[in-house]
Amino acid sequence: MFKPFFSSRWIVLSCLFSSFAAYADVSLLNVSYDPTRELYQAYNPAFIAHWQKKTGETLKLQQSHGGSGKQARSVIDGLQADVVTLALAYDIDAIADKAGLLPKDWQSRFPYNSTPYTSTIVFLVRKGNPKQIKDWDDLIKPGVSVITPNPKTSGGARWNYLAAWGYAQLKTGSADKAREFVSKLFKNVPILDSGARGATTTFVQRGIGDVLIAWENEAFLALQEFGKDRFEIITPSRSILAEPPVAVVEKVAKAHNTLAVSQAYIEYLYSTEGQTIAAQNFYRPRAEIVAAKFANKFPKLELFTINQLFVDWRTAQKTHFDDQGVFDQIYLSTQK
Amino acid sequence: MLLRLKQHSVLPGFHLALGYTIFYLSLIVLIPLSMVFFKTSTMGWERFWTVVTEPRVMASYRITFGAALIAAMINAFFGLLVAWVLERYQFFGKRFIDALVDLPFALPTAVAGIALASIYSSNGWIGQYLEPLGIKVAFTPLGIIVALTFIGLPFVVRTVQPVLQDLERELEEAAASLGATRWQTFKCVIFPSIFPPLLTGFALAFARGLGEYGSVVFIAGNMPMISEITPLLIITKLEQYDYAGATAIAVVMLVVSFILLFLINLLQWWTGKRCR
């Protein structure tokens, strides 16, 4: 009974000491979302080396991963993040709006809408593509079962929804047709998992559904993890440019005296080394030299941005995903 | 009368203990809960009412309370059976089974949810045999009941067990020798003493089921109006940074649960009195 108690006490003590050790030099906390785990595991040591060469300072980088919205709420509630790297701008908007920890125009602080790397929305299907899914139109065919998480609880799923909507709107030229398309699509969705990981489990482990709508980087990760002999990635003709943005949480960084290093941490993501690491971890790089090098890894497709079709995240969230928004209406009408 | 007023007790320190109890309960229970009401009060009555009576929210109340109630009833019946077997019979592996009962307490609920979903999904161990019969468990409201039954089991077993232990066998033998049938013995001798703890166990399992989130979201399918539980809607609201809306629904859950638990306690007190 007592032994585990003492050992857990030792863990606490050693944690305390290790954090003291961290304070000896500069320490930085990057609050990120789930699928960037591998990316920052690779990027952080690279940046530490870069920073040491440049300034001689030894950095200690800490990572926190979780659902994007949950992470943003933690920062709002006081998690001391110097840097946030989340799944969608709306979550960083919320930090700016609710807690005022960074200026409202944060997205103009770094190049390319403050998104050093991008992704897009693709389909993961079972090997051999038994239902012959080639493009978005195949998802609304009767008898096709589509797996996507709930856009109300999952930030990633909001990109999925907007990708489908955007595809239909650009194809038909009308928002009404797009709405019809999306409601048909969600009629083919048998389960709404609360997060992207849950949806992947449903599709991969439980064998439910013919197609999983997923971020390209996560589809690559799933392929790497579960085997190319079981699944394949289908890239549609047109999809959304998913921009997971990054920002310095200025107020926190100022208080920690880490403003300069936080700034550098993000800027280095745009460097050739940063971009290469992003590309190696299945995110599409922005820098053209790096993009050219990885060109055969990422299939070409027509990409539209959220600003092109939905004004911005605040507007998209309000019209589509807030309570009584379009998504709710689609569900309330299909239930009757 | 005099004796009662003086409250003789072997151990001193009544005032200190009471003070400590009130302080502790305030710190751990009342202050956090009052924040729920405080946050909710930032929205007007009218908005509160529209938020908590939305069709989607109403449907989730029905599912949450319905599933928790059914699961608690299943647990009351089978939990009693388990407790009975564990107390009244000697068999090989009894200690092991006894320890097994507590497992749902210890297991992280998300793990329970994932495990149940994979067992009951159409290609799972049990699901594959139920599917041809037309019974779908995973990703339907039935799945919610299964998850809640799983996590609620220890409550009933662990509340009934000690009472059964104290219940002397001689009582049953006496009843039998006085000519009571087996059913009469159960009804008039055993049941009255185990009913109050059974009710407590039922109430605990029910309350636990109302608040359960981790295991349910993995097995429910989370379809709006069909298998969305209220705690999921609270998370949905938080995801929109609608703190007031989330706490508004929480307040409804809190008040309704409190009333239900209070009624159950009242019932228990009433039956407890009648027995004596």
Side-chain angles (χ1 to χ4, degrees):
Chain A
M1 224 11 218
F2 282 92
K3 257 197 174 148
F5 172 68
F6 279 114
S7 67
S8 71
R9 182 188 245 179
W10 279 115
I11 291 170
V12 171
L13 274 180
S14 60
C15 281
L16 271 177
F17 278 114
S18 68
S19 63
F20 275 126
Y23 272 101
D25 278 305
V26 188
S27 150
L28 211 62
L29 173 62
N30 173 7
V31 171
S32 194
Y33 68 114
D34 263 326
T36 58
R37 212 172 296 257
E38 292 81 6
L39 165 64
Y40 284 105
Q41 241 163 38
Y43 175 73
N44 287 350
F47 180 71
I48 288 171
H50 163 77
W51 189 250
Q52 182 141 40
K53 217 175 353 172
K54 201 175 149 195
T55 65
E57 257 178 344
T58 316
L59 266 184
K60 171 131 172 100
L61 283 172
Q62 288 171 313
Q63 280 296 135
S64 159
H65 295 275
S68 187
K70 209 176 287 164
Q71 294 291 77
R73 280 200 305 282
S74 303
V75 174
I76 291 171
D77 293 340
L79 180 66
Q80 296 289 305
D82 303 277
V83 171
V84 283
T85 51
L86 297 177
L88 60 167
Y90 175 68
D91 288 328
I92 302 182
D93 281 340
I95 300 174
D97 293 348
K98 306 258 161 186
L101 293 176
L102 63 169
K104 290 199 183 214
D105 63 343
W106 60 271
Q107 211 167 3
S108 58
R109 295 294 162 106
F110 293 100
Y112 301 111
N113 272 333
S114 290
T115 27
Y117 43 81
T118 65
S119 191
T120 185
I121 304 301
V122 299
F123 313 140
L124 194 68
V125 298
R126 298 183 195 285
K127 189 74 195 170
N129 199 358
K131 295 264 165 139
Q132 287 301 307
I133 287 151
K134 294 266 180 329
D135 210 342
W136 287 101
D137 295 307
D138 300 316
L139 301 192
I140 61 165
K141 283 184 183 156
V144 172
S145 163
V146 182
I147 303 296
T148 177
N150 191 339
K152 309 251 328 183
T153 49
S154 157
R158 271 170 241 168
W159 287 108
N160 297 359
Y161 170 103
L162 293 178
W165 184 288
Y167 168 83
Q169 187 169 335
L170 287 175
K171 194 186 169 198
T172 61
S174 107
D176 284 340
K177 286 264 167 66
R179 184 189 172 131
E180 205 184 307
F181 182 87
V182 171
S183 39
K184 265 191 197 151
L185 189 141
F186 273 94
K187 265 189 195 144
N188 281 348
V189 177
I191 298 157
L192 288 170
D193 281 293
S194 58
R197 271 294 139 96
T200 311
T201 313
T202 300
F203 182 75
V204 173
Q205 239 81 313
R206 318 240 183 293
I208 294 173
D210 303 307
V211 51
L212 172 76
I213 311 181
W215 283 51
E216 187 180 51
N217 61 303
E218 290 186 64
F220 275 123
L221 274 180
L223 221 56
Q224 184 177 285
E225 207 171 318
F226 304 112
K228 286 182 181 159
D229 48 330
R230 291 177 57 202
F231 302 99
E232 47 188 279
I233 294 175
I234 303 290
T235 308
S237 62
R238 190 186 265 163
S239 193
I240 199 163
L241 182 73
E243 298 173 297
V246 298
V248 174
V249 187
E250 288 184 10
K251 267 205 181 146
V252 178
K254 257 182 208 150
H256 290 178
N257 240 337
T258 53
L259 201 56
V261 60
S262 303
Q263 203 89 9
Y265 181 76
I266 286 180
E267 274 161 10
Y268 197 62
L269 280 169
Y270 289 90
S271 72
T272 310
E273 188 180 16
Q275 293 282 292
T276 308
I277 292 171
Q280 281 162 348
N281 287 283
F282 311 119
Y283 282 95
R284 291 183 177 227
R286 292 279 200 183
E288 269 167 35
I289 320 166
V290 181
K293 223 166 81 191
F294 286 88
N296 56 353
K297 196 166 171 184
F298 300 109
K300 276 215 170 69
L301 73 162
E302 206 181 303
L303 293 167
F304 53 87
T305 67
I306 186 157
N307 305 76
Q308 229 171 305
L309 289 181
F310 305 96
V311 190
D312 57 16
W313 260 110
R314 284 189 179 91
T315 321
Q317 173 72 28
K318 203 159 185 236
T319 29
H320 290 278
F321 308 117
D322 271 356
D323 285 338
Q324 271 91 38
V326 178
F327 180 75
D328 275 0
Q329 290 165 22
I330 284 172
Y331 260 96
L332 289 180
S333 62
T334 52
Q335 292 310 323
K336 274 159 201 164
Chain B
M1 200 58 195
L2 249 168
L3 272 177
R4 280 208 65 177
L5 274 176
K6 271 196 156 181
Q7 288 235 353
H8 277 287
S9 170
V10 184
L11 297 174
F14 169 71
H15 289 285
L16 188 65
L18 182 72
Y20 176 74
T21 306
I22 290 173
F23 171 74
Y24 185 76
L25 279 181
S26 307
L27 196 68
I28 301 293
V29 181
L30 283 180
I31 292 175
L33 284 189
S34 68
M35 280 312 288
V36 172
F37 287 90
F38 180 72
K39 275 261 186 204
T40 313
S41 65
T42 56
M43 64 205 296
W45 252 115
E46 214 154 284
R47 211 171 105 54
F48 173 80
W49 192 248
T50 36
V51 166
V52 300
T53 56
E54 252 177 74
R56 247 177 105 190
V57 181
M58 293 299 276
S60 83
Y61 296 142
R62 274 195 293 278
I63 289 154
T64 306
F65 283 99
L69 191 71
I70 294 171
M73 287 200 288
I74 295 172
N75 274 330
F77 182 78
F78 287 100
L80 177 62
L81 214 62
V82 171
W84 181 265
V85 168
L86 286 177
E87 269 322 312
R88 284 301 155 99
Y89 302 112
Q90 290 301 328
F91 53 91
F92 178 73
K94 182 174 143 171
R95 292 270 147 235
F96 179 71
I97 292 183
D98 203 21
L100 217 59
V101 170
D102 283 331
L103 222 53
F105 266 149
L107 207 62
T109 50
V111 175
I114 291 172
L116 288 172
S118 57
I119 286 171
Y120 284 100
S121 74
S122 52
N123 62 357
W125 285 351
I126 301 180
Q128 59 180 332
Y129 300 111
L130 292 177
E131 184 94 347
L133 307 173
I135 305 170
K136 277 192 178 172
V137 179
F139 314 117
T140 66
L142 204 57
I144 303 177
I145 296 174
V146 170
L148 296 184
T149 310
F150 175 84
I151 54 149
L153 176 73
F155 290 98
V156 175
V157 179
R158 291 295 179 240
T159 45
V160 174
Q161 225 176 355
V163 180
L164 271 180
Q165 205 170 20
D166 290 345
L167 205 64
E168 282 153 27
R169 228 161 225 238
E170 285 77 4
L171 272 176
E172 290 158 48
E173 283 160 10
S177 70
L178 290 170
T181 61
R182 283 176 173 176
W183 171 240
Q184 277 174 323
T185 311
F186 179 77
K187 200 181 82 172
C188 305
V189 179
I190 301 168
F191 195 67
S193 20
I194 56 168
F195 186 63
L198 190 64
L199 214 53
T200 308
F202 172 81
L204 286 173
F206 177 66
R208 180 78 175 79
L210 289 181
E212 178 58 20
Y213 173 76
S215 62
V216 175
V217 286
F218 287 100
I219 197 174
N222 308 325
M223 300 305 281
M225 311 294 287
I226 298 172
S227 55
E228 258 185 344
I229 52 165
T230 314
L232 179 75
L233 284 184
I234 294 177
I235 299 283
T236 306
K237 297 265 181 218
L238 285 177
E239 207 67 27
Q240 296 166 35
Y241 303 100
D242 181 6
Y243 288 76
T247 50
I249 301 179
V251 162
V252 173
M253 289 283 280
L254 209 63
V255 170
V256 176
S257 317
F258 183 77
I259 292 171
L260 286 175
L261 290 176
F262 186 71
L263 286 178
I264 293 173
N265 274 349
L266 220 58
L267 186 69
Q268 192 192 354
W269 177 78
W270 178 70
T271 51
K273 268 192 104 166
R274 229 171 48 132
C275 277
R276 260 142 235 167

